[in-house]
Amino acid sequence: MEPVISAQNLNYYFGSGDLRKQALFDVNLEIQAGEIIIMTGPSGSGKTTLLTLFGGLRSAQEGSLKILGEELRGAGKSQLASLRKHIGYIFQAHNLMTFLTAQRNVRMALELHDRFLEQDLNAIATQMLESVGLGDRVQYYPENLSGGQKQRVAIARALVTQPKIVLADEPTAALDKKSGREVVELMQKLAKEQRCTILIVTHDNRILDIADRIVYMEDGRLVSQDKEAALALHP
Ligand code: ADP
Ligand code: MG
């Protein structure tokens, strides 16, 4: 089977001319459908840069990057935009719309997809919120939810369209230990149910065990893809 994400000799540069700075060096990585990958490594090592390339949030410059079978090197805006419909994003700060209820926040993701147009969006959004344990918070605004609850709304929003790939950048950074754990376990459960691929960037050593594979970045290079080695670095 073709990998869902395949990077080969991927380089990435910020800036141009004298200010050009290489952020990724010769990254090689293949991720299969349904895999849960955790990416870890020091601050500034290139994790977010790599994640945003995988998510079609920036265009690959050098080497090869195939996402869901599509080559993204030199991809234009419209190619990236249509790819993004198949990807769910979860960020450190939940990025919910503060003026919309939990249900409306989740609904918004559905509204971007033609295939849901004829369906009962409120019912789908509500059901998704129930599956993340927020059935009694459907009409709440973000300001009246705890950090963990907000992040669960963000998960509901990312997964409600059943994306093939979910990318999460430090999703537990703003949460206490227990809520952080709950949030990743929830992502893991939904991913297995939907057979979606999940890539989580994290500094949070307490959640490394949920991964099928741990990828370790340092100075823009992918230095290890081995769970045992990464766990040894962060016992
Ligand atoms: P991480 O997520 O691992 O902390 P990043 O991917 O954010 O690392 O950053 C990798 C490197 O690229 C760092 O040296 C950072 O300063 C640089 N970088 C990140 N974003 C930009 C940008 N928009 N412009 C210039 N340099 C950037
Ligand atoms: Mg980062």
Side-chain angles (χ1 to χ4, degrees):
M1 276 242 301
E2 191 174 25
V4 172
I5 295 173
S6 169
Q8 275 165 27
N9 307 113
L10 189 65
N11 293 317
Y12 192 81
Y13 307 83
F14 285 108
S16 57
D18 287 350
L19 295 175
R20 189 163 105 137
K21 179 171 173 278
Q22 189 163 359
L24 294 177
F25 296 79
D26 206 25
V27 171
N28 289 283
L29 180 64
E30 289 200 341
I31 301 176
Q32 307 298 329
E35 257 194 302
I36 298 181
I37 306 278
I38 283 186
M39 190 190 296
T40 185
S43 183
S45 58
K47 304 181 298 296
T48 295
T49 305
L50 190 56
L51 197 83
T52 53
L53 280 164
F54 288 170
L57 298 169
R58 55 177 88 248
S59 181
Q61 301 162 337
E62 221 174 83
S64 166
L65 177 62
K66 282 190 188 161
I67 307 291
L68 300 171
E70 255 185 84
E71 176 60 58
L72 291 189
R73 190 176 83 155
K77 283 204 167 77
S78 67
Q79 194 188 350
L80 295 179
S82 61
L83 172 79
R84 289 199 290 266
K85 290 195 167 187
H86 302 288
I87 301 180
Y89 305 90
I90 299 165
F91 299 101
Q92 170 176 351
H94 52 79
N95 292 100
L96 300 177
M97 299 289 183
T98 55
F99 54 89
L100 296 178
T101 62
Q103 185 193 52
R104 296 289 307 206
N105 266 285
V106 176
R107 238 191 93 135
M108 263 183 52
L110 294 166
E111 286 165 1
L112 299 174
H113 291 253
D114 293 343
R115 69 191 153 97
F116 294 108
L117 281 180
E118 304 290 304
Q119 300 186 42
D120 184 345
L121 301 187
N122 285 339
I124 299 171
T126 299
Q127 194 182 24
M128 191 68 209
L129 285 165
E130 282 165 1
S131 73
V132 300
L134 293 176
D136 56 349
R137 294 289 187 274
V138 171
Q139 301 302 344
Y140 278 52
Y141 287 87
E143 62 179 356
N144 296 321
L145 298 171
S146 71
Q149 288 170 338
K150 280 186 275 212
Q151 206 54 310
R152 281 190 274 154
V153 177
I155 291 174
R157 183 184 54 183
L159 283 151
V160 71
T161 57
Q162 309 215 319
K164 301 265 194 319
I165 301 173
V166 169
L167 301 174
D169 201 350
E170 316 236 12
T172 65
L175 304 179
D176 62 57
K177 177 177 179 178
K178 182 161 168 287
S179 336
R181 182 85 210 167
E182 281 167 6
V183 158
V184 289
E185 282 177 357
L186 191 61
M187 287 171 63
Q188 181 185 36
K189 170 175 158 277
L190 295 172
K192 293 292 175 203
E193 283 169 14
Q194 298 187 4
R195 206 179 141 64
C196 107
T197 303
I198 294 203
L199 181 62
I200 303 173
V201 167
T202 189
H203 278 110
D204 189 347
N205 301 335
R206 303 167 305 207
I207 64 169
L208 296 183
D209 60 290
I210 72 140
D212 297 318
R213 187 149 55 107
I214 296 173
V215 165
Y216 187 75
M217 300 268 312
E218 212 170 82
D219 297 331
R221 293 170 205 276
L222 207 156
V223 294
S224 159
Q225 306 192 21
D226 179 42
K227 183 164 178 172
E228 305 313 318
L231 283 172
L233 280 170
H234 299 281

